[in-house]
Amino acid sequence: MTDNTSAAMKPVIPGPLPEGIAVRTAGADDVPALLELLRADELAAMGETSLSAGEVDEWFDTPRALERNTALVLQRDGVLIGVWRVFRNFDDKYWAQVAIDRSLPAELVDELWEGGLAWAEQVALTIADGLGVTGPRLDLWVNEHDALTRRHAEAFGFQQMRAFIEMQIDLDGYVAPKPDPASPVVVRQAEVPDDGAADLRTMYQVISESFRDHYDFQLRSFEDWVETKHSDQLADPTHWYLAEIDGEAVGGLMGHNSYLEADNAGYVANLGVLRQGRGRGVAKALLRTSFTRYAADGRSAVKLHVDAESPTGATHLYESVGMYRRLVGFDFHKWPRA
């Protein structure tokens, strides 16, 4: 086991728990109960849920996931009533997740939320210390109507940093506009049968370079990027497309199955256009190709998330191809040692 893995797996013992509450390490056998808990939490937070079993399975199904995830389940009378989780996205960035059964007494829910955030911070600091990182950041996601999570985030010192908008296009009867015959843009499906495929590295280069000027961008190595895709059960390279002008790749779109199980919807996980391709219809061509293919596959809609302050004006682009705004979520950050 590497030094990094040892640091990530170093246990952090939670502080005193309320009477009658037990805690233990989460495992693959907990997936059904965790899925039920997390779906109920999403319903309470935003009125709907799209969480799939595969997304929870991912916590436990690869060495990478096991090395980067630290999760505890909370039980009351032998029933799973909560989860505390930290995911190491980068060595200096840690995503915290707390979900507590909201049907429990409010005082107990609040106490377990407070304990969960304190535990998550200590986990992040412990792992960061083991990796030699002096200034780790803790991240938390808050949906716009989730007053409970917002209240605890703000009380614990998190700051709201950025809004992200979920957008959607409904595909019932969708017909893409006829392409402009004068357009130089050619869209083709990426061919990525294995890790040695040229299109795999091209997609990495296009997506990485096109996001350099976006909020909170952090470059991954090609090897780490590929490993991330392998650990993602819902990644769908059959819905990846490259856009070319004069034979040169200037844009890429990566489809994903995040919303397939719950909503029968396609999902655009990444869409990037290089500077030399911007303003030339590249993004629209990629989106319309994706919409047409998803419609042919029988999907009912396509979704994506966009930075509300995108420097490329992406929100207006998506509206121009027929997408509309649905939900808003916020990135909250805390620097424990700031």
Side-chain angles (χ1 to χ4, degrees):
M1 184 175 289
T2 67
D3 289 343
N4 280 8
T5 301
S6 298
M9 296 298 289
K10 185 175 180 179
V12 174
I13 307 302
L17 293 168
E19 184 177 355
I21 302 299
V23 64
R24 61 172 173 78
T25 301
D29 290 344
D30 294 313
V31 168
L34 284 169
L35 183 62
E36 183 179 355
L37 171 78
L38 295 170
R39 282 177 168 170
D41 197 63
E42 283 194 347
L43 282 168
M46 58 183 181
E48 63 181 58
T49 180
S50 60
L51 190 69
S52 68
E55 290 173 278
V56 185
D57 282 332
E58 285 178 10
W59 298 12
F60 312 104
D61 70 348
T62 65
R64 177 188 179 86
L66 292 170
E67 187 253 329
R68 290 175 176 263
N69 268 302
T70 306
L72 299 180
V73 293
L74 292 84
Q75 293 180 303
R76 188 189 197 198
D77 298 327
V79 177
L80 192 150
I81 54 94
V83 61
W84 298 344
R85 177 179 174 235
V86 173
F87 178 77
R88 177 169 60 88
N89 194 19
F90 292 95
D91 287 353
D92 60 344
K93 295 177 183 176
Y94 300 78
W95 184 60
Q97 183 176 17
V98 175
I100 307 297
D101 182 349
R102 300 193 190 200
S103 68
L104 295 171
E107 297 82 358
L108 179 58
V109 172
D110 284 342
E111 188 172 355
L112 294 178
W113 252 98
E114 292 164 8
L117 290 179
W119 172 84
E121 181 173 294
Q122 189 57 51
V123 168
L125 291 172
T126 299
I127 297 173
D129 286 346
L131 297 171
V133 174
T134 58
R137 189 185 83 192
L138 200 60
D139 299 347
L140 190 70
W141 179 256
V142 180
N143 288 294
E144 63 179 325
H145 301 305
D146 187 0
L148 175 70
T149 302
R150 175 178 286 276
R151 174 164 56 83
H152 283 288
E154 292 174 346
F156 199 69
F158 281 88
Q159 303 173 46
Q160 180 178 309
M161 303 302 296
R162 203 77 163 198
F164 288 84
I165 303 168
E166 179 187 304
M167 305 193 72
Q168 176 171 315
I169 184 171
D170 300 321
L171 295 181
D172 184 25
Y174 177 78
V175 178
K178 291 183 179 179
D180 179 357
S183 172
V185 181
V186 176
V187 176
R188 64 176 178 83
Q189 186 170 340
E191 298 179 5
V192 287
D194 53 55
D195 292 353
D199 280 356
L200 186 66
R201 186 169 288 275
T202 298
M203 184 68 79
Y204 162 77
Q205 293 169 339
V206 168
I207 295 298
S208 297
E209 185 60 35
S210 62
F211 276 87
R212 280 186 181 273
D213 54 357
H214 283 59
Y215 165 73
D216 206 32
F217 171 80
Q218 188 161 337
L219 181 66
R220 294 183 185 272
S221 68
F222 175 68
E223 292 73 20
D224 185 52
W225 184 82
V226 170
E227 188 179 357
T228 300
K229 303 308 170 194
H230 284 322
S231 67
D232 184 353
Q233 285 192 9
L234 301 179
D236 185 10
T238 67
H239 279 272
W240 289 12
Y241 304 95
L242 290 168
E244 298 173 338
I245 294 179
D246 297 329
E248 179 183 357
V250 294
L253 183 152
M254 299 172 65
H256 196 268
N257 285 327
S258 302
Y259 293 86
L260 174 58
E261 181 180 321
D263 301 318
N264 188 34
Y267 183 64
V268 177
N270 294 103
L271 171 61
V273 178
L274 300 178
R275 289 184 179 275
Q276 61 265 36
R278 293 177 186 173
R280 306 179 71 178
V282 173
K284 287 184 179 180
L286 284 164
L287 287 165
R288 287 167 175 162
T289 298
S290 177
F291 297 165
T292 299
R293 169 77 184 286
Y294 276 129
D297 285 353
R299 304 287 181 95
S300 58
V302 178
K303 300 171 180 282
L304 56 77
H305 287 87
V306 58
D307 178 357
E309 300 175 46
S310 167
T312 59
T315 305
H316 301 300
L317 163 70
Y318 299 136
E319 289 173 332
S320 74
V321 294
M323 305 191 85
Y324 58 91
R325 306 181 188 209
R326 293 196 68 251
L327 302 169
V328 178
F330 301 92
D331 258 348
F332 276 66
H333 296 166
K334 181 180 180 180
W335 292 263
R337 291 188 171 132

